[in-house]
Amino acid sequence: MKIYNKYIAAITVSLILASCKAPMATVIQDEVKNNIPENFNQNEQQDANTNSGTTPWRQFFTDPNLVSLIETSLKNNQELMITLQEIEIAKSGVVAKKGKLSPTVRAGLGAGVEKVGRYTSTGAGDASTEIEPGKEMPDPLGNFEGGLMANWEIDIWKKLRTEKDAAVAHYLSTVEGKNFVLSNLIEEVADNYYELLALDNQLDIIRQYIKLQTRALEIAKIQKQAAAATELAVKKFEAELAKSKATEYTLRQQITEKENQINALCGRYPQPIVRTKESFMSIIPQTVYTGIPSQLLANRPDIKQAELELKAAKLDVEAARKEFYPSLEISATLGLEAFKPSYLVKLPESIATSLVGELAGPLINKSAIKANFQTADAKQIQALYEYDKTILNAYLDISNLMSKVKNIDQYYQLKSQETQALDQSIDIANQLFKNSRADYLEVLLNQRDALDAKMELIEAKEKQLSTVVDIYKSLGGGWK
């Protein structure tokens, strides 16, 4: 019998050890992070001590109307509110995982009745038992109980701690996600605000052009009466005037839509957007300092979010791997139990206790555990690719925007020269037309060219300002 028990023990130990075998996670290396360039532009050296991404947004934006809009959006924007609730959800997940590390204690009361067959071992035993002299066990037999029940999984492999650490990493990633939403929101409000000012100025230009076309039409009619021009010239100027008036209504609609877009970002119903359009063309864009690429890892919240998600994914793989190991659970109860309520107070006879320890692990049919592990392992690799993609896109965004800042500045300067030259040509063409030394086509073409150049100049100014905002956000600015 002793030899038989030894065999049983040996087989049990062997099975437990066999259940401890677990597959290894995929070893991943971050090539993109390790090989990040030292500078954004290989031909220029950047100063690590100057980085506009660390500038708080209140210092970066100086227009009080824009600052007011940003403040309103940060208070009321629905997308931001949704993100804040995601943080609360992740925080609850941390509390839940942390709670698994402690014993679970429950209190309970119970009552029941049971009638067993007379010719069963239980029935025969009850019939032959006397609780008190001359009193047989009642039939049917009741059962009344109350007490405390505890259950505790001992974290012998640190699986529960790993799950808690994964939940903490995910919670921190949601915080960085909120910061990224803040950065995007501020960028979007600023971009739309500058687009609105550009539309205002374009509307003023088209109204000036309408006045100019109206005067040109009057001159054409006078010249027709004096036989110095034809009906064709009159109709051409009328058509150009109608086209300009149609453009005015198009711009009005665009302004309304842009105002409502800003109001939507601010989380409010349509209302006028307070702004000063007169100084738009004289706004000097902020000077932006990029710092060095490695600073993106600390400044950009989307990169930090992706990094924390990668950390959480690695911990999830580790926790899934530990599911292959045996788990140790301890259960205990302490309470009172009797077949009559009046006997519950008879101590110590009514006291019932139990203490059970169980070590168990998966042995056969581990397909579900294997599937969960393989899923976690694939998500870990996926999170690495997502992290690398975020770093690479951030670097490329700044590289493109740095080039755009330089080119848009040159474009704006040349458009300014073009506009000045065309303004002068309009005066010359009008004077020649009055003196019948130029035909109406020359006047129309000059006016159209001047209008297009002014419209494009306003667009260039808007792109100047928006590009600076975009590069500020790409450097990690806006959420501080």
Side-chain angles (χ1 to χ4, degrees):
M1 188 68 180
K2 292 182 179 179
I3 296 176
Y4 180 75
N5 291 335
K6 288 181 179 180
Y7 280 129
I8 294 292
I11 292 172
T12 303
V13 171
S14 299
L15 291 176
I16 292 175
L17 292 176
S19 71
C20 291
K21 292 183 179 179
M24 297 300 295
T26 303
V27 179
I28 56 178
Q29 294 182 349
D30 195 347
E31 299 292 340
V32 173
K33 178 182 177 181
N34 295 335
N35 297 325
I36 190 168
E38 295 182 359
N39 295 289
F40 291 106
N41 189 332
Q42 301 303 322
N43 298 323
E44 297 180 9
Q45 294 291 325
Q46 278 88 35
D47 186 359
N49 297 321
T50 54
N51 190 320
S52 297
T54 59
T55 304
W57 69 266
R58 291 180 184 275
Q59 298 177 17
F60 189 82
F61 298 105
T62 56
D63 187 331
N65 295 322
L66 175 56
V67 170
S68 177
L69 288 173
I70 293 175
E71 288 176 342
T72 303
S73 68
L74 295 180
K75 293 177 182 177
N76 302 329
N77 183 263
Q78 282 78 19
E79 184 178 354
L80 181 57
M81 298 300 110
I82 292 171
T83 305
L84 292 176
Q85 294 311 307
E86 291 178 358
I87 294 176
E88 293 301 317
I89 293 171
K91 186 187 296 183
S92 298
V94 174
V95 175
K97 295 295 183 183
K98 186 178 180 181
K100 289 185 176 182
L101 291 168
S102 302
T104 301
V105 180
R106 297 178 293 121
L109 297 173
V113 65
E114 181 183 20
K115 178 175 176 56
V116 297
R118 176 67 177 79
Y119 300 110
T120 63
S121 60
T122 303
D126 291 345
S128 62
T129 301
E130 291 185 355
I131 302 303
E132 295 179 4
K135 291 185 179 180
E136 296 183 353
M137 188 77 70
D139 188 22
L141 185 66
N143 186 62
F144 300 89
E145 60 182 355
L148 301 176
M149 292 148 280
N151 186 272
W152 187 18
E153 180 179 353
I154 307 300
D155 195 19
I156 54 178
W157 309 111
K158 296 187 178 180
K159 180 189 71 173
L160 300 179
R161 288 182 178 84
T162 302
E163 291 178 350
K164 185 205 73 173
D165 292 341
V168 170
H170 178 65
Y171 162 71
L172 294 175
S173 77
T174 61
V175 175
E176 295 299 338
K178 181 264 297 182
N179 292 336
F180 189 57
V181 170
L182 283 175
S183 186
N184 282 335
L185 178 60
I186 291 173
E187 177 203 32
E188 199 169 353
V189 171
D191 284 346
N192 280 280
Y193 178 76
Y194 290 136
E195 288 176 19
L196 180 59
L197 293 180
L199 289 171
D200 287 338
N201 280 264
Q202 286 181 331
L203 182 61
D204 289 342
I205 293 296
I206 202 68
R207 285 173 175 169
Q208 295 172 12
Y209 187 65
I210 289 173
K211 292 180 180 179
L212 185 64
Q213 287 296 314
T214 302
R215 288 197 297 267
L217 177 59
E218 292 172 354
I219 293 172
K221 289 179 178 179
I222 293 172
Q223 287 191 337
K224 178 194 169 187
Q225 292 175 355
T230 63
E231 180 68 15
L232 181 59
V234 174
K235 294 302 180 184
K236 280 288 186 180
F237 280 113
E238 285 180 351
E240 189 69 17
L241 180 60
K243 178 183 176 182
S244 300
K245 288 182 178 179
T247 303
E248 178 184 4
Y249 287 103
T250 300
L251 288 171
R252 285 183 177 182
Q253 179 61 27
Q254 290 176 349
I255 288 173
T256 299
E257 293 176 359
K258 188 59 63 177
E259 283 185 319
N260 287 338
Q261 192 171 352
I262 294 174
N263 282 318
L265 292 172
C266 293
R268 64 191 186 188
Y269 287 104
Q271 57 182 274
I273 301 297
V274 178
R275 58 196 185 269
T276 305
K277 63 182 179 179
E278 290 78 15
S279 60
F280 175 70
M281 296 304 293
S282 61
I283 297 176
I284 299 175
Q286 289 265 25
T287 301
V288 180
Y289 301 98
T290 60
I292 57 177
S294 60
Q295 291 176 324
L296 292 175
L297 303 177
N299 292 342
R300 279 193 52 141
D302 58 332
I303 293 179
K304 292 194 286 184
Q305 181 185 16
E307 183 180 16
L308 287 165
E309 285 295 341
L310 175 58
K311 179 181 178 181
K314 289 180 178 179
L315 291 169
D316 285 338
V317 174
E318 187 179 342
R321 185 173 183 271
K322 291 175 180 177
E323 289 290 344
F324 289 91
Y325 300 158
S327 60
L328 175 61
E329 291 191 7
I330 297 176
S331 300
T333 60
L334 174 63
L336 302 175
E337 186 175 14
F339 63 86
K340 288 178 64 176
S342 59
Y343 288 154
L344 288 173
V345 295
K346 290 189 176 182
L347 302 177
E349 290 84 354
S350 62
I351 295 177
T353 62
S354 69
L355 179 64
V356 179
E358 182 182 54
L359 180 65
L363 186 61
I364 300 174
N365 192 7
K366 303 180 183 179
S367 57
I369 299 176
K370 289 179 180 178
N372 289 336
F373 173 78
Q374 291 168 356
T375 299
D377 193 42
K379 286 184 177 180
Q380 171 196 216
I381 300 172
Q382 187 182 50
L384 174 65
Y385 291 148
E386 192 68 36
Y387 179 53
D388 288 346
K389 184 183 75 172
T390 306
I391 294 175
L392 186 59
N393 287 342
Y395 180 89
L396 294 175
D397 283 346
I398 295 175
S399 181
N400 290 335
L401 289 169
M402 287 174 61
S403 175
K404 187 177 180 181
V405 165
K406 294 178 181 178
N407 291 328
I408 199 68
D409 286 344
Q410 295 298 321
Y411 177 83
Y412 181 80
Q413 297 299 326
L414 293 172
K415 277 296 174 183
S416 296
Q417 296 176 18
E418 179 188 2
T419 301
Q420 293 174 3
L422 287 172
D423 280 341
Q424 295 172 0
S425 69
I426 286 178
D427 295 335
I428 296 172
N430 287 337
Q431 194 65 35
L432 293 173
F433 182 65
K434 289 179 182 179
N435 296 325
S436 301
R437 294 178 60 188
D439 60 26
Y440 65 91
L441 287 176
E442 292 179 290
V443 176
L444 278 176
L445 289 175
N446 271 281
Q447 290 176 347
R448 284 181 183 177
D449 290 343
L451 175 65
D452 291 341
K454 289 180 179 180
M455 291 293 200
E456 291 170 357
L457 181 64
I458 293 172
E459 290 177 359
K461 172 58 71 174
E462 183 270 321
K463 288 179 181 178
Q464 255 192 338
L465 298 171
S466 293
T467 301
V468 169
V469 174
D470 293 344
I471 196 170
Y472 171 63
K473 174 253 180 182
S474 296
L475 290 168
W479 60 272
K480 294 181 179 180

